[in-house]
């Protein structure tokens, strides 16, 4: 996915489309991912992540080649739709498997998985930039990345945990089976809806940082383009670092503390970034914002997966799907509001949402998990 992001300008030029058209086509990527997530939840629960993840990885890798071959808008739209579906299925399958690893490992490890995902994005940016500097075509680079990812999917798939399919029988915590009656009782429970709502709010805030941090520093403080680019760098670096530390924090203090206090820290950091008198303060604020958000979403995915072992994939797909819509909604919400108020004041809206998330963390996360206590305070 990082290789796709790096090559967006080159793909746009090859397809001969304008920025507004690209914006609409990117919605197909998001819509495909959301649809793939909803499909993946039931498939993962039925067949197990060991079967779903390698297949999804190969299909997602194959779809990655298509944007580099597109020569017009319709072809690019179809390619992005397929890439989104493959990514959505893979995303849910990986997170559902991470929940199972965490359950068997005996302590929180979800945030570390997300941290390694972030490192993959950084590596893709470095390799993609090097390929562009050498004049490689998008088709060639994306094909090389796709072949590498497909091979990794097949090789790593052999080491995934093998969970029995949910074909009925008595429900036992962690064995992946459930009776029809159990499934009726666990169909979209209130706690999963609350976790999905939290994911929507917090990933909306993350989307704001992805798309508006650089512009906020450049326009609000008059920073040079190279300096303004450090805003997103500070956010992304802090988020990656924070995710490597979040699992230990969750083990010691519990998921509720990580999400509740993390959302408060994120609100403080973004407030500083929005109202900063200097570039240094703004960069520090974006870094604090990243640290605050870093552990929140992994804990929500983990809580959803552990809520019912027999419906782990379905519950993760519900939380991840709504959260992904929030990440897409962030830029869309901020943009129109900048017509009525300066960008630095509009950024106070996600500050308020972080405060709402901090207040809502207790009812969503305080309930005990079925069959596990790995994220309870030590």
């Amino acid at each position: 996915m990082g290789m796709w992001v790096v090559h967006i300008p080159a793909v746009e030029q090859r397809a001969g489309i304008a920025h507004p058209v690209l914006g609409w086509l990117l919605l197909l990527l998001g819509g495909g991912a959301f649809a793939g997530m909803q499909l993946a939840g039931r498939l993962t629960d039925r067949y197990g992540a060991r079967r779903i993840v390698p297949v999804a990885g190969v299909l997602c890798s194959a779809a990655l080649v298509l944007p580099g071959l597109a020569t017009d808008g319709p072809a690019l739209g179809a390619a992005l739709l397929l890439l989104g579906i493959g990514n959505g299925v893979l995303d849910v399958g990986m997170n559902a498997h991470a929940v199972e690893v965490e359950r068997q490992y005996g302590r929180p490890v979800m945030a570390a998985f997300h941290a390694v995902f972030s490192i993959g994005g950084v590596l893709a940016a470095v390799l993609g930039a090097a390929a562009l500097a050498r004049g490689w075509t998008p088709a060639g680079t994306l094909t090389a990345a796709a072949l590498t990812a497909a091979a990794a999917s097949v090789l790593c798939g052999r080491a995934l945990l093998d969970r029995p399919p949910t074909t009925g029988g008595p429900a036992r915590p962690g064995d992946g089976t459930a009776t029809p009656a159990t499934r009726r009782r666990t169909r979209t429970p209130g706690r999963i809806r609350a976790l999905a709502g939290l994911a929507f709010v917090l990933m909306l805030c993350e989307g704001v940082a992805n798309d508006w941090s650089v512009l906020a520093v450049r326009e609000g403080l008059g920073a040079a383009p190279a300096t303004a680019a450090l805003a997103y760098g500070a956010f992304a670096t802090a988020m990656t670092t924070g995710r490597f530390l979040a699992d230990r924090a969750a083990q010691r203090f519990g998921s509720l503390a990580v999400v509740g206090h993390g959302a408060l820290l994120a609100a403080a950091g973004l407030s500083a970034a929005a109202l900063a008198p200097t570039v240094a303060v703004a960069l520090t604020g974006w870094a604090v914002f990243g640290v605050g958000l870093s552990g929140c979403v992994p804990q929500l995915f983990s809580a959803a997966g552990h809520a019912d072992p027999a419906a782990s994939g379905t519950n993760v797909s519900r939380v991840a799907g709504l959260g992904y819509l929030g990440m897409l909604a962030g830029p869309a919400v901020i943009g129109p509001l900048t017509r009525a108020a300066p960008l630095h004041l509009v950024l106070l809206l996600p500050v308020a949402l972080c405060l709402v998330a901090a207040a809502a963390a207790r009812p969503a996360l305080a309930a005990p998990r079925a069959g596990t206590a790995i994220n309870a305070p030590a």
Side-chain angles (χ1 to χ4, degrees):
M1 292 305 297
M3 294 296 272
W4 150 246
V5 171
V6 170
H7 286 86
I8 286 178
V11 170
E12 179 188 39
Q13 184 178 13
R14 176 183 171 86
I17 58 176
H19 294 334
V21 176
L22 176 64
W24 286 108
L25 293 180
L26 288 175
L27 292 179
L28 292 173
L29 178 67
F34 181 79
M37 288 176 181
Q38 306 317 300
L39 174 66
R42 297 183 183 277
L43 290 176
T44 302
D45 287 335
R46 182 171 180 81
Y47 299 106
R50 187 177 186 182
R51 294 175 176 84
I52 297 301
V53 169
V55 174
V58 171
L59 293 178
C60 186
S61 301
L64 177 63
V65 179
L66 301 179
L69 302 175
T71 56
D72 55 38
L76 180 58
L80 293 181
L81 180 64
L82 293 174
L83 180 59
I85 293 173
N87 181 59
V89 175
L90 180 59
D91 197 23
V92 168
M94 289 191 299
N95 277 285
H97 185 267
V99 169
E100 186 65 24
V101 171
E102 189 175 63
R103 181 180 293 114
Q104 297 192 26
Y105 199 61
R107 69 173 178 84
V109 292
M110 176 66 79
F113 283 108
H114 285 241
V116 176
F117 179 84
S118 299
I119 290 177
V122 174
L123 182 61
V126 173
L127 294 177
L132 290 170
R134 287 169 171 74
W136 293 10
T137 65
T141 306
L142 293 179
T143 298
L147 291 173
T148 303
S153 299
V154 173
L155 294 175
C156 294
R158 300 171 60 186
L160 299 182
L161 298 175
D162 191 9
R163 190 167 63 91
T166 56
T167 55
R172 299 184 300 273
D175 72 352
T177 62
T179 64
T182 302
R183 289 201 170 280
R184 284 195 295 271
R185 288 196 304 270
T186 58
R187 191 169 296 169
T188 319
R191 185 164 183 239
I192 298 302
R193 289 195 293 268
L195 291 170
L198 271 176
F200 178 87
V201 169
L202 291 170
M203 292 182 72
L204 186 151
C205 295
E206 184 178 339
V208 169
N210 292 341
D211 291 87
W212 294 100
S213 57
V214 175
L215 192 60
V217 174
R218 185 174 181 181
E219 288 191 354
L221 298 171
T227 302
L230 295 176
Y232 177 71
F235 170 81
T237 302
M239 173 167 277
T240 303
T241 304
R243 283 176 169 169
F244 277 116
L245 303 175
D247 289 324
R248 294 294 183 182
Q251 183 182 23
R252 182 173 179 82
F253 303 109
S255 295
L256 175 59
V258 172
V259 177
H261 291 94
L264 289 175
L265 184 62
L270 186 55
S271 297
L275 305 175
T278 65
V279 172
V281 173
L283 297 181
T284 301
W286 285 111
V288 173
F289 185 50
V291 171
L293 288 182
S294 61
C296 294
V297 171
Q299 297 307 312
L300 299 180
F301 286 5
S302 179
H306 288 297
D308 178 11
S312 178
T314 299
N315 288 335
V316 168
S317 71
R318 289 164 176 162
V319 175
L322 197 58
Y324 194 82
L325 289 181
M327 184 171 286
L328 294 176
V333 169
I334 296 299
L337 291 178
T338 57
R339 299 177 181 176
L343 177 57
H344 71 281
L345 294 180
V346 174
L347 290 179
L348 296 179
L349 172 61
V351 170
L353 292 178
C354 286
L355 295 176
V356 170
R362 179 168 295 278
L365 288 163
R369 296 179 180 181
T372 182
I374 60 174
N375 280 22

